[in-house]
């Protein structure tokens, strides 16, 4: 096992990170010592690793601030159209390294710490992940912010500053346990509280007529929303945008006559109740629960954000802080609001409420403004994920908004009648009020009605929503529907996480590719060059050695670093079919046991991901994987041919270690269920090969790289529909394949759970009797594809060539390309590749605070 390349050696290589200038290094050292002394208030004798991290973070932040202020000042002066990206989730991960890279100061900071005798990697490990997301949707929002800043777009992320992010996962006796993620415990050096921009948010109450015949929401309970601003630096362009996260605060006045009741103490204690709104992220991915606190969170975000949006629209006029703009017809020329799924869809009735009740616009004018400003991104076609809020809950919590929603729907139904006549079925399909059973508001329908554009997140997904989920709406207003295939930021997902590969690429094609990822196609020229193949595989081996060492430390499992690293990391869900992966592992185990001396391609199979705390089957899947792993890893006959490792507490920071080290990426959802996937793109960019179904973005990945460079298997969407139409019977597959039968029987008969044969009877029952995701129907094709993977892996030249083709075909999957498409085709804006001027000497000039 070759030793990992040291950072000192890395620094000697030609690097996109640039050569550290002597004066910069001296400045960083001076600034670092100053912060340790004045900000952290420690000296070198008592300072801890965490103190050093905070000092360095403050040094880096110093380099950001003038760019941040200058950028916001630039927007204020030029009065551009601004885009507001609303999301209940921003899965940001760590900020230190990313900020150093985007500002071009990584080399200087690295060298300065080295000269001070400190290990910068140790300091980086002290930073807590900002885990304000569940998975794909939240991480996409984070990648989008990076791209919007890098493309110099006047943009703002708006979300909630959850005190507790996604839970921390511990595996105890093979099972998942959740621990709260107290990520703010030691403070967050990147955020800046802005109490002066605190806004009131109203709940409950009732609606009355005003003297002028308008409507007014009264007798409400108020919660304050306090903003915390987080800097979002663009890559090398001196732009710094803002992610504004709202925190709930109780208002100062109590709704209590405390002098009469003497309940002053209790009323202070009760302030906690209001502040619970921003306490914790809901850990459900692709599952709607319908909890009142969640609805409060959604409205809290929308109300606070739209207050900002309208304030900024009214005030932003060249050089004037007075309320300057009152013509709201101009608003769509200055404001674009993107709804990241339906979670912020209350923005539509809330904007209507502001325009009608506060700004006194006529309904038709307000509606035109609202629909021209708003656009909606759909992220899933799983019916159980769709938000459908009970009318009774809305009536109590947001009575004015329910009135507005009813009126929106009434006018919409009139238009539907004008087109289709009194077609009851059509009216029902196109309504945003569901009448069967408990009366509910379908938020996806509301979002479509109230937006000018609706998009899916991969070509196949956008086609499917037109054909199935939103078919009636597509027929009614086809012009609203678009596709915007997801992407990932190449800064974090290559430059940051795989510096050796980044340097290798820069040696070949220069260093423009981090902002023009399509330039990677130039690498195809060297796909068959033995020397380049060797260099790429050396980098991969190095990354594998590092991951193996890390996992040995974490799990104490000895991993064979020359084995095929076969990795599936994503949320645990039946549709993502981690069970199919487990069936393959047991199949391999049985083959080794049956014929121990037969040639076998060594593998380490790793699964990582969190199960929603209330999702029983997902938790069973984790337990089964770990039980299988315990048996396989302890079997001396297996040795280092097969190892099974669960990657505990999968999160952004762990993904950064995993992606560069993977040989094989598992993207094996049932065709037609994964909207896009973005992990698939991260593996591809880092030279991992994909085994996958024709689902989500896999379809476009195969298109870009050619089918000869990806292991596609299994049913297509049409095949799945055909199987479902004739009636899926798992026993047909179970009885037809002796290998599959043996695997299922082992799980059923307690082979992996001695002393408790029934432990996984629910899993077996699922697979054989009520599997919506047709796992056994794809088993045979999956095993055949995996055999092909093993054979190909043994041909190092072929594997290396395929890996290079994967990297070279990744250009399309940059979030820069995605955001440029949103900008031009939805927001009516242009991306900009110009740099803002360097902020040197700014400190003496007139500055505006970034608001």
């Amino acid at each position: 096992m070759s030793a990992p390349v040291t950072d000192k050696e890395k620094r000697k290589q030609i690097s996109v990170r640039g050569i550290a200038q002597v004066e910069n290094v001296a400045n960083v050292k001076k600034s670092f010592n100053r912060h340790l002394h004045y900000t952290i208030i420690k000296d070198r004798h008592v300072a801890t690793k965490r103190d050093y991290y905070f000092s360095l973070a403050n040094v880096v932040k110093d380099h950001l601030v003038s760019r941040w202020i200058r950028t916001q000042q630039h927007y204020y002066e030029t009065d551009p159209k601004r885009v507001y990206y609303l999301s209940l989730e921003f899965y940001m991960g760590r900020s230190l390294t990313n900020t150093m890279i985007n500002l071009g100061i990584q080399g200087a900071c690295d060298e300065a710490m080295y000269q001070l005798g400190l290990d910068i990697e140790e300091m980086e490990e002290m930073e807590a992940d900002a885990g304000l997301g569940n998975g794909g949707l939240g991480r996409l929002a984070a990648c989008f912010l990076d791209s919007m800043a890098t493309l110099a777009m006047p943009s703002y992320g708006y979300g909630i500053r959850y005190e507790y992010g996604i839970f921390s996962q511990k595996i105890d006796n093979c099972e998942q346990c959740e621990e709260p993620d107290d990520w703010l415990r030691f403070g967050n050096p990147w955020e800046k509280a802005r109490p002066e921009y605190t806004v009131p948010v109203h709940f409950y109450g009732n609606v009355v007529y005003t003297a002028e015949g308008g409507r007014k929401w009264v007798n409400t309970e108020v919660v304050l929303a306090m903003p915390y601003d987080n800097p979002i630096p663009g890559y090398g362009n001196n732009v710094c945008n803002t992610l504004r996260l709202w925190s709930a605060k109780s208002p100062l006045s109590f709704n209590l006559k405390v002098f009469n009741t003497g309940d002053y103490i209790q009323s202070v204690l009760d302030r906690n109740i209001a502040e619970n709104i921003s306490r914790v992220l809901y850990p459900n991915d692709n599952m709607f629960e319908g909890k009142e606190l969640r609805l409060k969170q959604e409205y809290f975000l929308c109300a606070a954000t739209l207050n900002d949006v309208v304030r900024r629209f009214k005030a932003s006029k060249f050089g004037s802080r007075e309320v300057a703009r009152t013509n709201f017809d101009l608003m769509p020329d200055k404001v674009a609001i993107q709804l990241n799924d339906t979670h912020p869809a209350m923005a539509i009735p809330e904007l209507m409420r502001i325009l009608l009740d506060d700004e006194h616009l006529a309904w038709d004018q307000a509606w035109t403004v609202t629909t021209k400003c708003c656009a909606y991104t759909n992220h899933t076609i799983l019916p159980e994920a769709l938000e459908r809020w009970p009318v009774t809950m809305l009536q109590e919590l947001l009575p004015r908004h329910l009135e507005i929603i009813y009126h929106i729907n009434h006018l919409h139904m009139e238009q539907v009648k004008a087109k289709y006549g009194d077609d009851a079925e059509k009216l029902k399909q196109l309504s945003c009020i569901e009448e069967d059973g408990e009366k509910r508001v379908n938020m996806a329908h509301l979002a479509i009605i109230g937006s000018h554009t609706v998009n899916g997140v991969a070509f196949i997904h956008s086609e499917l929503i037109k054909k199935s989920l939103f078919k009636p709406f597509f027929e009614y207003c086809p012009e609203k529907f678009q596709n915007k295939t997801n992407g990932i930021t190449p800064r974090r997902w290559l430059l940051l996480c795989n510096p050796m590969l980044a340097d290798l690429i820069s040696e070949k094609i220069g260093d423009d590719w981090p902002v023009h990822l399509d330039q990677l196609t130039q690498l195809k020229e060297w796909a068959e060059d033995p020397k380049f193949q060797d260099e790429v595989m050396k980098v991969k081996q190095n990354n594998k050695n590092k991951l193996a060492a890390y996992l040995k430390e974490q799990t104490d499992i000895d991993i064979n670093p020359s084995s095929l690293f076969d990795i599936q990391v994503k949320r645990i869900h039946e549709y993502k079919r981690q069970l199919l992966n487990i069936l393959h592992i047991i199949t391999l185990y049985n083959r080794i046991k049956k014929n121990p001396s037969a040639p076998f391609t060594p593998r380490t199979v790793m699964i990582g991901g969190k199960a929603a705390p209330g999702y029983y089957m997902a938790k069973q899947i984790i337990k089964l994987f770990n039980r299988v792993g315990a048996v396989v890893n302890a079997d001396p006959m297996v040795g280092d041919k097969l190892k099974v490792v669960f990657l505990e507490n999968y999160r952004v920071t762990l993904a950064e270690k995993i992606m560069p080290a993977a040989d094989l990426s598992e993207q094996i959802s049932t065709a037609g269920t994964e909207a896009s996937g973005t992990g698939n793109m991260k593996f591809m960019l880092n030279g991992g090969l994909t085994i996958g179904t024709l689902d989500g973005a896999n379809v476009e990945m195969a298109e870009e790289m050619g089918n000869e460079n990806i292991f596609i298997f299994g049913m297509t969407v049409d095949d799945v529909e055909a199987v479902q139409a004739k009636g899926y019977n798992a026993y047909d597959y179970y009885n037809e394949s002796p290998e599959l039968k043996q695997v299922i029987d082992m799980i059923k008969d307690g082979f992996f759970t001695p002393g408790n044969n029934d432990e996984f009877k629910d899993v077996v029952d699922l697979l054989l009797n009520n599997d919506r995701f047709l796992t056994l129907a794809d088993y045979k094709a999956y095993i055949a594809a995996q055999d092909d993977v093993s054979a190909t892996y043994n041909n190092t030249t072929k594997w290396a060539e395929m890996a290079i083709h994967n990297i070279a075909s990744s250009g399309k999957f940059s979030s820069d390309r995605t955001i440029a498409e949103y900008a031009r085709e939805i927001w009516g804006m242009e991306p900009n590749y110009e740099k803002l001027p360097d902020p040197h000497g700014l400190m003496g000039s007139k500055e505006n605070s970034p608001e």
Side-chain angles (χ1 to χ4, degrees), residues 599-816:
F600 186 88
T601 306
R603 279 202 193 219
T604 303
V605 185
M606 308 179 213
I607 290 185
K610 293 173 183 176
Y615 188 173
Y616 168 74
M617 192 52 69
K619 289 187 147 182
Q620 288 292 100
I621 291 168
I622 292 176
K623 198 204 301 189
L624 175 61
F625 179 82
N626 284 316
R627 290 262 190 255
V628 170
V631 170
V632 172
N633 296 343
D635 193 322
M637 198 183 284
V638 175
D640 65 0
K641 289 181 185 172
L642 183 60
K643 284 279 185 275
V644 178
V645 182
F646 189 81
L647 301 165
E648 186 176 88
N649 200 29
Y650 180 61
R651 59 200 185 284
V652 174
T653 293
L654 187 51
E656 290 163 8
K657 295 175 167 70
I658 290 164
M659 299 299 170
D663 292 309
L664 187 67
S665 154
E666 299 264 358
Q667 309 297 334
I668 57 179
S669 53
T670 313
T673 62
E674 187 72 87
S676 166
T678 45
N680 45 6
M681 301 167 188
K682 291 159 197 168
F683 285 114
M684 177 184 179
L685 182 61
N686 284 280
L689 305 191
T690 300
I691 183 167
T693 49
L694 282 173
D695 199 20
N698 299 353
V699 177
E700 289 159 85
M701 285 162 51
E703 220 168 81
E704 293 295 301
M705 73 178 85
N707 280 331
E708 66 281 7
N709 292 304
I710 185 168
F711 300 96
I712 294 290
F713 75 93
M715 295 178 289
T716 62
V717 170
D718 290 344
D719 297 335
V720 167
E721 281 172 10
V723 167
Q724 284 168 335
K726 86 166 180 42
Y728 169 67
N729 182 1
Y731 283 95
D732 295 346
Y733 305 94
Y734 170 78
N735 291 320
E736 180 206 334
S737 162
E739 271 197 315
L740 174 57
K741 185 175 190 311
Q742 184 189 3
V743 169
I744 300 272
D745 290 350
M746 286 166 76
I747 301 172
K748 188 167 64 188
D749 300 340
F751 181 88
F752 301 103
T753 51
N756 185 0
N757 295 0
D758 284 346
E759 187 153 359
F760 295 114
K761 75 170 172 33
D762 293 334
V763 175
V764 174
D765 184 54
L766 172 83
L767 286 172
L768 291 176
N769 299 312
N770 45 25
D771 178 8
R772 292 163 58 201
F773 302 107
L774 318 181
T775 308
L776 301 195
D778 269 339
Y779 171 82
K780 207 169 148 184
Y782 180 56
I783 300 299
Q786 286 285 21
D787 291 345
D788 189 15
V789 168
S790 291
T792 310
Y793 187 72
N794 291 328
N795 178 349
T796 314
T797 305
K798 174 79 180 128
W799 190 275
E801 186 187 328
M802 289 172 76
I804 294 163
H805 274 289
N806 270 261
I807 299 164
S809 308
S810 297
K812 175 178 179 177
F813 304 107
S814 168
S815 46
D816 297 349

Side-chain angles (χ1 to χ4, degrees), residues 69-310:
I69 290 171
R70 169 70 73 90
T71 302
Q72 301 307 315
Q73 193 176 336
H74 174 71
Y75 295 154
Y76 182 71
E77 285 162 2
T78 53
D79 189 27
K81 184 168 187 178
R82 293 165 158 94
V83 58
Y84 295 94
Y85 196 84
L86 271 65
S87 181
L88 264 279
E89 303 184 20
F90 287 93
Y91 206 168
M92 302 296 288
R94 291 174 177 165
S95 293
L96 177 60
T97 318
N98 184 248
T99 305
M100 294 191 296
I101 288 171
N102 281 11
L103 294 185
I105 59 173
Q106 194 185 21
C109 292
D110 206 355
E111 184 58 34
M113 295 306 103
Y114 179 77
Q115 289 181 17
L116 290 171
L118 296 170
D119 181 345
I120 196 167
E121 280 196 9
E122 274 190 356
M123 290 154 72
E124 289 165 347
E125 287 297 319
M126 296 315 297
E127 182 173 4
D129 269 45
L132 308 185
N134 277 285
L137 173 148
R139 183 55 232 173
L140 184 79
C143 284
F144 278 3
L145 293 180
D146 184 81
S147 287
M148 289 188 283
T150 296
L151 297 182
M153 298 183 53
S155 56
Y156 301 77
Y158 271 93
I160 293 177
R161 180 180 178 266
Y162 301 108
E163 210 173 301
Y164 294 89
I166 187 67
F167 62 86
S168 172
Q169 178 193 56
K170 294 274 182 291
I171 300 299
D172 186 14
N173 191 23
C174 294
E175 301 188 51
Q176 168 178 297
C177 302
E178 301 89 25
E179 292 182 352
D181 164 44
D182 191 5
W183 71 290
L184 292 168
R185 182 168 60 246
F186 297 103
N188 174 2
W190 305 106
E191 69 183 6
K192 176 70 184 87
R194 298 262 177 224
E196 67 275 24
Y197 290 107
T198 296
V199 300
V201 176
H202 299 263
F203 293 100
Y204 303 107
N206 57 291
V207 189
V208 296
Y209 279 103
T210 63
E212 304 76 42
R215 299 291 277 160
K216 192 177 177 193
W217 188 15
V218 295
N219 302 324
T220 56
E221 288 182 22
V222 175
V223 177
L224 301 180
M226 185 194 288
Y228 284 76
D229 286 352
N230 298 263
I232 306 291
Y235 178 74
N237 64 353
N238 293 322
V239 168
C240 186
N241 286 337
T242 302
L243 165 62
R244 176 163 283 185
L245 300 176
W246 299 104
S247 184
K249 293 283 286 177
S250 179
L252 286 175
S253 58
F254 310 122
N255 290 337
L256 278 178
K257 301 186 176 62
V258 290
F259 299 111
N260 305 344
T261 62
D263 238 356
Y264 164 71
I265 294 291
Q266 193 54 46
S267 61
V268 174
L269 301 184
D270 288 344
R271 291 167 61 82
N272 266 325
I273 296 165
E275 295 173 4
N276 278 337
I277 290 178
S278 56
R279 195 80 68 202
V280 58
L281 167 75
Y282 271 85
N284 300 330
D285 199 56
N286 283 300
M287 185 67 198
F288 174 64
E289 244 195 329
K291 293 276 192 280
E292 185 184 46
L293 180 59
R294 171 67 169 197
L295 180 57
K296 279 186 174 169
Q297 289 181 339
E298 294 180 354
Y299 177 66
F300 175 76
L301 168 64
C302 295
T305 301
L306 281 163
N307 185 288
D308 253 20
V309 170
V310 171

